[in-house]
Amino acid sequence: MMPVASVTLTPSMTAPSQPDSPIASPDAAPTGAAAVAGSASADLVQDVADANRILFHQGVVDAFGHVSARHDKDPTRFLLARNMAPALVTAADILEFALDGEPACPDARRVYLERFIHAAIYRARPDVHAVVHSHSPAVVPFSVVRSAGLKPVSHMCGFLGAGPPIFEIRDCVGDESDLLIRDNALGDALARTLGDGNVVLMRGHGATAVGPSLKIAVYRAVYTEVNARLLADALRLGPVEYLSPGEAHMTMTVNEGQVDRPWAMWKAAARRAL
Ligand SMILES: [Zn+2]
């Protein structure tokens, strides 16, 4: 693992460390050390921190779940918070990882067990620049009822296309697993199920959304949760009319061109809330 240069720290990037969440990899304890995001731009590091808070405030993540961005100057690396609750992440908590899922430079802070989700998708998808993994509550039912099919019902959710595939971890490791993506082999299997899509559901676990930018990946994660709520409501009313493939494509193009609007609002709301 090669050491990288430190970024210049702003006051907001030197906030005290927070306690780790219980899905830690073993051993190390938090140190309160400064960010080690290498030469990534300070704006991107701050955006990753804001994305964590947005996803909590929008109900996509709780104490668990994480969001990453591909390094803006080195595509073989990505930025991800240390092991902690997303709502508490600051820029000082963002670490740099290599595409094997390991920290890019020595750091005593604990890292997320499921960082291999991010690593595997960045390896498989050069077009992906951000990844959100969540246990998005309205989405999980659609991961366990295949016949329900999480297809888009709102013009805000055309990125769901024909509906996300569902990753079945039993196909990889049988029935003795904790359902977590705890190594690169499982990460690769998840990435294969995602294929060239925007979202993959994970049976009995959650979902992973990807995008060509951090803002779009966050948008897709938020609106995957929205579509799941809307579709669950619609299914109770009667037969559902889904977006057609053409409608899904057109609405995705139009809405994601305006992603700065929700990002600015969500960021302001999340910063006020915490
Ligand atoms: Zn998970």
Side-chain angles (χ1 to χ4, degrees):
M1 290 180 285
M2 295 176 59
V4 294
S6 296
V7 295
T8 301
L9 300 180
T10 63
S12 67
M13 297 172 70
T14 56
S17 296
Q18 303 293 336
D20 285 332
S21 71
I23 53 170
S25 59
D27 302 324
T31 63
V36 289
S39 57
S41 76
D43 285 347
L44 180 61
V45 173
Q46 184 59 55
D47 281 350
V48 175
D50 281 321
N52 276 273
R53 291 168 177 246
I54 287 169
L55 289 165
F56 171 74
H57 196 243
Q58 295 300 312
V60 175
V61 300
D62 49 19
F64 302 95
H66 21 85
V67 52
S68 69
R70 196 187 288 273
H71 196 297
D72 56 343
K73 297 186 179 70
D74 182 352
T76 68
R77 299 202 170 169
F78 64 95
L79 308 178
L80 178 69
R82 67 181 177 89
N83 190 324
M84 62 185 298
L88 304 178
V89 170
T90 71
D93 299 304
I94 305 302
L95 305 178
E96 183 177 326
F97 292 80
L99 293 192
D100 63 358
E102 298 305 328
C105 59
D107 190 285
R109 290 175 290 182
R110 303 167 84 177
V111 294
Y112 290 122
L113 179 62
E114 290 197 295
R115 61 195 182 278
F116 301 104
I117 294 171
H118 305 260
I121 291 173
Y122 289 127
R123 288 197 301 270
R125 291 277 302 272
D127 61 306
V128 168
H129 284 261
V131 176
V132 176
H133 170 62
S134 75
H135 309 150
S136 204
V139 173
V140 173
F142 290 91
S143 79
V144 296
V145 182
R146 283 186 177 272
S147 59
L150 188 59
K151 292 179 287 189
V153 289
S154 159
H155 73 295
M156 302 300 290
C157 308
F159 61 87
L160 290 170
I166 300 175
F167 176 67
E168 175 50 81
I169 197 167
R170 282 186 203 139
D171 293 343
C172 303
V173 293
D175 69 349
E176 292 191 9
S177 94
D178 56 11
L179 279 70
L180 301 180
I181 305 299
R182 51 175 52 253
D183 58 35
N184 275 309
L186 286 170
D188 288 339
L190 177 68
R192 284 195 295 274
T193 301
L194 170 66
D196 62 358
N198 300 323
V199 178
V200 58
L201 306 190
M202 303 155 76
R203 193 267 308 160
H205 179 170
T208 297
V210 305
S213 71
L214 184 60
K215 293 176 182 177
I216 288 179
V218 168
Y219 171 93
R220 289 173 178 173
V222 170
Y223 275 98
T224 299
E225 170 73 11
V226 169
N227 195 81
R229 292 200 302 265
L230 295 174
L231 178 53
D233 286 346
L235 287 167
R236 283 191 281 272
L237 299 177
V240 175
E241 189 72 34
Y242 298 94
L243 266 61
S244 69
E247 290 168 345
H249 177 73
M250 290 292 290
T251 56
M252 178 180 74
T253 302
V254 169
N255 287 318
E256 293 186 348
Q258 301 191 58
V259 72
D260 285 341
R261 187 198 302 186
W263 174 268
M265 183 187 74
W266 291 335
K267 182 170 72 173
R271 285 183 172 184
R272 274 198 304 272
L274 291 167

